[in-house]
């Protein structure tokens, strides 16, 4: 099977979005933009041995590759629309490719994003997805809008993926819930869209809550106080924290793909109405302050978030 056969067999499916004029199969993709909208784009690479282990299933690899990119577009408050896939494969393994392709297609249909192009090469297993989204002009949620007095919030529970990773590296079998949280994160696309008229700043939690919230604070030239006891954690992780008195996992674990955002106090009522239909818990964990830096109340142990190099 050559490259063209491979693309045809595994990465070409009907595109339902009428804004895509030319999808897979030409030199480049063409799509139309609605007037008054801006393009939001992001790219993420997942490499075997770095971002996932050799025994991760093709289904989970596809899901995570797409989810982490959807999550970045969600953090901008934008609607994900199109994506390209560059995949490097050590060999052509038809059953692996079928599983990968089915999973990618399934999730892309769920989030209504169209695969419009890409590249396939021979080499160590690595997946790069570039996601393209759209948003009404100058509505994008950035990291730089947080102001003193705004509440600091997170979605879902924090630290499940980190707890799973901690268990795996310590020879403890994680629960199926924890494995799912690590391998198949849920991108908070609906929440991001709801937040675009509400939040003053937003980021997705990929490298650890402490580090990612600090990005908002630096970009916004503000500080924050958060209380560890308020960070929403799952029951099993809560027991682990009670036993060890160690909040490192929720603070630094990373790979959560929940959203961390700030909301002006005045928006509180509106916020209940807008966020309720998003079907995810939202928790206030602290407040933005004028004095710079992140103050963490309730835990002063050593901390180190994920570093890429
Ligand atoms: Mg991000």
């Amino acid at each position: 099977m050559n490259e063209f056969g491979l693309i045809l067999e595994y990465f070409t499916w009907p595109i339902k979005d009428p804004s895509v004029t030319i999808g897979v199969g030409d030199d480049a993709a063409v799509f139309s933009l609605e007037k008054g909208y801006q393009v939001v784009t992001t790219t993420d690479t997942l490499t075997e041995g770095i971002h996932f282990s050799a025994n991760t299933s093709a289904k989970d690899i596809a899901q995570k590759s797409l989810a982490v990119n959807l999550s970045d577009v969600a953090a901008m408050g934008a609607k994900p629309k199109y994506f390209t896939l560059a995949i490097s494969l050590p060999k052509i393994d038809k059953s692996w490719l079928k599983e990968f392709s089915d999973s990618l297609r399934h999730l892309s249909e769920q989030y209504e994003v169209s695969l419009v192009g890409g590249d396939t090469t021979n080499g160590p297993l690595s997946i790069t997805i570039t996601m393209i989204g759209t948003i009404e002009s100058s509505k994008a949620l950035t990291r730089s809008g947080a102001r003193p007095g705004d509440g600091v919030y997170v979605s879902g529970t924090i630290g499940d993926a980190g707890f799973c990773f901690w268990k795996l590296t310590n020879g403890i079998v994680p629960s199926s819930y924890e494995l799912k949280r690590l391998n198949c994160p849920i991108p908070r696309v609906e929440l991001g869209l709801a937040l675009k008229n509400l939040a003053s700043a937003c980021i997705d939690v990929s490298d650890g809550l402490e580090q990612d919230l600090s990005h908002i604070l630096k970009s916004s030239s503000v500080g924050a106080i958060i209380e560890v006891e308020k960070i929403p954690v799952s029951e099993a992780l809560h027991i682990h924290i009670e036993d060890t008195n160690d909040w490192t996992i929720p603070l630094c674990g990373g790979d959560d793909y929940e959203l961390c955002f700030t909301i002006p106090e005045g928006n509180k009522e509106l916020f209940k109405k807008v966020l309720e239909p998003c079907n995810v818990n939202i928790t206030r964990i602290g407040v933005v302050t004028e004095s710079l830096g992140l103050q963490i109340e309730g835990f002063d142990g050593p901390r180190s978030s994920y570093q890429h190099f």
Side-chain angles (χ1 to χ4, degrees), residues 6-259:
L6 190 149
I7 293 168
L8 196 65
E9 171 109 21
Y10 299 106
F11 300 115
T12 311
W13 51 76
I15 290 177
K16 291 171 191 152
D17 184 344
S19 70
V20 180
T21 316
I22 298 169
V24 174
D26 213 307
D27 292 297
V30 178
F31 41 80
S32 319
L33 282 186
E34 277 178 77
K35 204 168 173 242
Y37 279 73
Q38 288 178 305
V39 169
V40 175
T41 184
T42 180
T43 193
D44 251 311
T45 297
L46 262 64
T47 301
E48 185 179 277
I50 309 276
H51 303 99
F52 57 88
S53 65
N55 57 18
T56 309
S57 71
K59 176 179 169 284
D60 287 354
I61 296 169
Q63 175 137 1
K64 189 159 183 175
S65 307
L66 196 62
V68 300
N69 279 281
L70 288 166
S71 175
D72 272 328
V73 172
M76 302 301 289
K79 170 112 185 74
K81 298 273 286 178
Y82 323 102
F83 69 102
T84 63
L85 165 76
I87 185 165
S88 159
L89 297 162
K91 61 176 190 284
I92 292 184
D93 174 339
K94 288 189 175 177
S95 71
W96 190 95
L97 273 162
K98 169 94 172 73
E99 190 184 320
F100 182 89
S101 150
D102 285 350
S103 168
L104 193 70
R105 181 172 178 176
H106 181 254
L107 196 69
S108 70
E109 283 171 353
Q110 190 185 330
Y111 286 90
E112 296 173 328
V113 287
S114 307
L115 175 59
V116 295
D119 193 22
T120 54
T121 48
N122 179 235
L125 184 60
S126 172
I127 294 104
T128 299
I129 284 181
T130 299
M131 184 65 66
I132 298 152
T134 61
I135 190 162
E136 294 92 329
S137 293
S138 56
K139 281 280 185 189
L141 266 180
T142 64
R143 299 176 180 184
S144 58
R147 294 295 169 260
D150 291 357
V152 178
Y153 296 81
V154 291
S155 64
T157 53
I158 301 293
D160 297 323
F163 193 34
C164 184
F165 188 73
W166 177 84
K167 283 187 171 179
L168 290 170
T169 45
N170 285 283
I172 305 166
V173 180
S175 68
S176 59
Y177 167 78
E178 287 153 1
L179 276 169
K180 211 163 175 217
R181 293 283 285 161
L182 177 66
N183 292 327
C184 309
I186 299 169
R188 301 296 181 192
V189 173
E190 210 180 332
L191 176 63
L193 288 168
L195 285 173
K196 105 186 128 182
N197 294 315
L198 215 57
S200 49
C202 185
I203 192 167
D204 67 329
V205 182
S206 55
D207 296 338
L209 177 61
E210 181 197 26
Q211 187 171 194
D212 290 320
L213 175 56
S214 296
H215 288 315
I216 289 187
L217 304 181
K218 263 190 208 121
S219 298
S220 303
S221 306
V222 292
I225 302 172
I226 61 166
E227 292 170 58
V228 284
E229 291 286 348
K230 290 196 172 158
I231 301 172
V233 294
S234 64
E235 212 180 308
L237 179 53
H238 194 249
I239 292 168
H240 168 82
I241 292 167
E242 283 199 323
D243 287 350
T244 57
N245 212 3
D246 185 352
W247 282 85
T248 312
I249 290 174
L251 286 170
C252 309
D255 258 1
D256 290 308
Y257 299 101
E258 294 296 343
L259 296 182

